[in-house]
Structures are given as C-alpha cells and as structure tokens.
Amino acid sequence: MKLRYRVSSVFGVILFFSILLIDLTILTNESISDGHNISFRWAFGALTGPQDDRKFVPVTKDTVLYSGDQFKMMIELQSECYVYVIFKGSKEEILLLFPDQLYLTEKTLKINQEIFLPNKELWFALDDQAGIEKIFLLASTTPLVKLEELIKKYESSVPEIKPGITEEIQQFIENSRKQYKQLTAVAEKPIQIGGTFRNVKKSEFSHLDISAFAIEITEDDFFGRTFTIEHR
C-alpha cells in the first residue's frame, strides 16, 4: 500500500493501520489458497549421439536412448514432501534410485538442497541390453508406506517371484495416480533456459550442469510421472 496522504489525527492513524491489516490479511489468505503443498525442482538430462558428436539434452517426456548414452537427474525441494525415483528395467527388475534407503523418518530432503542422481560427478550409462525401461517420479505429502513395503519385499525376495512384485509396484503407482488425478494440469515452469543402472561411471562431461534443465513442479497432495525410455 502506497501512502498518499498525511495522517493528522489519532483516529486517522488507527484507521490507516486497520485498513493496512485488512489488506495484508486478504493478501496472506490469497497466497495460502493459491499455493501447493508439493513443490520441487526437477531436472533430467541425457548425453546422446555418437562419441564424436555428443549432445546434452533435457528429457521431458518419453524418449529414445541408445546403448552407451548417459544421463542423470536432479531434485531440489521447495516445500517439505516425500520424493521417490524408481527404475524399472526391460527385464522387469526394480531399482530404487531415491532415496537410496527406506527410512520413514529420514525421507524428506532439506529445502533448497540439490540432490544429484547419481552423485554429481557420476552418470548413469545404458548397457547393451535393449528394451523398454521406465523411470517413475513420485512425490507425496505423506510417506507412501505401501510402496515402501513392496520395494522392501522385492529386495528381499528370490528372483522367481520378483516379476510379480514388480507388477504390484507398477499397479500401485498407476492406482495412486488415478486416485489423485486432478481436473487441472500439474503446474510446471522452466527455472532456467537453457539401461541399466549398474553401469555408473565418471564422465568426461561431468562439468555439465544438469540443473540448467530444471523445471519447477507444483501439485497438491500427490504427484506422479512416468518416463518411458526406448533403449535401442
């Protein structure tokens, strides 16, 4: 509020601050109602192409990558929430990329802390096993306890029954997305202009800044997205 006049009485001072308080209350309520309880920055980038002509590109939707291509991801919370990044391989294998261990009381990240997957100087690289692979990005205001139980069950099970648990995990993710489906689209905006996960290595491109591809994602209560990689 811009002061355009001089207050010359006690009544005027009281009236002025009463109006100011009302304006601030309205502004605060509008800010709360317009906000989202899930907000985080996300970046997903890949190094693709022949060795003598590598291109560093953002991955924002389903994509085609080739054996030898490299990629990495970044998460930075803007609000307190629980984030999960899960890999599903072409042979139905499941690998929890984030968090690296399941501890319910230690799942939330620090606000404004950049987390790189894998560590900042490393990159994931696709091996020679072609097929359809998926990366699930999930965020929730509460721990996804059922999902955590299924992942723990998968990790402790014998190979023969793991494909069935993989199907349960994927079904849980699909059901969660349907349950929280909103009529409005998820809000996303750019912040800056800009396989197999056993094969993790240092890269000559480690100086590249994946956060240059970051977008801000905001949603209420639950967010889910699946990136499908056609690995050739």
Side-chain angles (χ1 to χ4, degrees), residues 74-135:
M74 186 275 291
I75 305 166
E76 181 186 353
L77 293 191
Q78 305 297 303
S79 66
E80 290 188 0
C81 58
Y82 294 78
V83 176
Y84 304 79
V85 183
I86 302 166
F87 166 74
K88 175 179 173 286
S90 59
K91 294 185 176 181
E92 301 300 307
E93 66 270 29
I94 289 289
L95 185 61
L96 181 67
L97 301 183
F98 186 85
D100 55 357
Q101 295 185 44
L102 291 174
Y103 292 112
L104 293 179
T105 59
E106 299 178 3
K107 189 80 55 7
T108 52
L109 304 176
K110 294 180 180 178
I111 302 298
N112 300 323
Q113 176 187 6
E114 290 184 342
I115 300 294
F116 296 91
L117 308 175
N119 291 337
K120 192 168 185 178
E121 71 278 9
L122 301 177
W123 290 69
F124 293 124
L126 293 177
D127 66 3
D128 295 329
Q129 183 64 50
I132 300 298
E133 299 169 342
K134 294 185 178 183
I135 293 174

Side-chain angles (χ1 to χ4, degrees), residues 45-47 56 70-72 117-125 199-210:
L47 281 165
F56 187 38
Q70 302 175 37
F71 55 93
K72 69 187 298 107
L117 308 175
N119 291 337
K120 192 168 185 178
E121 71 278 9
L122 301 177
W123 290 69
F124 293 124
N199 188 8
V200 180
K201 61 181 183 180
K202 287 191 176 181
S203 169
E204 63 272 27
F205 297 96
S206 59
H207 63 284
L208 296 175
D209 184 10
I210 184 66

